[in-house]
């Protein structure tokens, strides 16, 4: 005789243990915990709620529409490649100018820290 589902779930090392593990896994986590589709669906709902709050008529000075249109990549755009390079270059760390690394400078009337070419002494 085959054990019932409740008996199989209580088995320590039987096939019922797998059923319990899988059901607990799916029941506890849901779709928002680890599925990309759940996160995407939640984002879509939030975006839709934001759009519902806006007026139906959108004018030329609307910032959201302007931003959306500027971010679109269009086919045959001669400046698209340049803009991509510029964005990639902007994301890299910018080089900082060298700083003064000598002994503590004497205070001056503007409290300006000396630069790498000037030691702070007039």
């Amino acid at each position: 005789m085959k054990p019932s589902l409740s008996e199989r779930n209580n088995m320590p090392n039987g096939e019922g243990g797998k059923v319990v593990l899988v059901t607990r896994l799916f029941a506890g986590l849901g779709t928002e915990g680890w599925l990309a589709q759940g996160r995407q669906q939640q984002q879509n709902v939030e975006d839709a709620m934001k759009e519902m709050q806006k007026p139906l008529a959108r004018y030329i000075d609307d910032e959201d529409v302007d931003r959306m249109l500027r971010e679109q990549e269009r086919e045959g755009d001669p400046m698209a490649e340049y803009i991509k390079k510029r964005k990639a270059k902007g994301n890299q760390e910018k080089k900082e100018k060298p700083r003064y690394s000598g002994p503590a400078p004497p205070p001056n009337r503007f409290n300006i820290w000396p630069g790498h070419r000037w030691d702070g002494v007039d």
Side-chain angles (χ1 to χ4, degrees), residues 22 42 64 68 79 91 112:
V22 171
Q42 182 65 27
D64 293 334
M68 180 188 66
M79 291 293 289
N91 290 342
I112 298 174

Side-chain angles (χ1 to χ4, degrees), residues 33-99:
W34 51 282
L35 293 177
Q37 293 88 351
R39 288 190 299 269
Q40 183 64 36
Q41 183 179 10
Q42 182 65 27
Q43 183 66 32
N44 290 345
V45 169
E46 290 173 5
D47 291 342
M49 293 301 291
K50 287 179 186 176
E51 291 296 324
M52 282 191 251
Q53 300 297 325
K54 296 177 185 176
L56 186 60
R58 309 291 284 286
Y59 297 102
I60 192 80
D61 60 345
D62 190 4
E63 293 175 7
D64 293 334
V65 174
D66 185 47
R67 187 178 326 109
M68 180 188 66
L69 292 174
R70 287 176 187 263
E71 289 175 355
Q72 285 180 354
E73 291 184 13
R74 294 170 186 84
E75 186 177 341
D77 186 2
M79 291 293 289
E81 187 176 332
Y82 172 73
I83 291 172
K84 284 182 188 178
K85 286 181 184 177
R86 206 166 120 206
K87 282 184 181 179
K89 190 176 185 181
N91 290 342
Q92 296 173 353
E93 293 183 26
K94 295 189 178 197
K95 294 182 179 179
E96 293 184 16
K97 293 183 179 177
R99 296 184 55 96

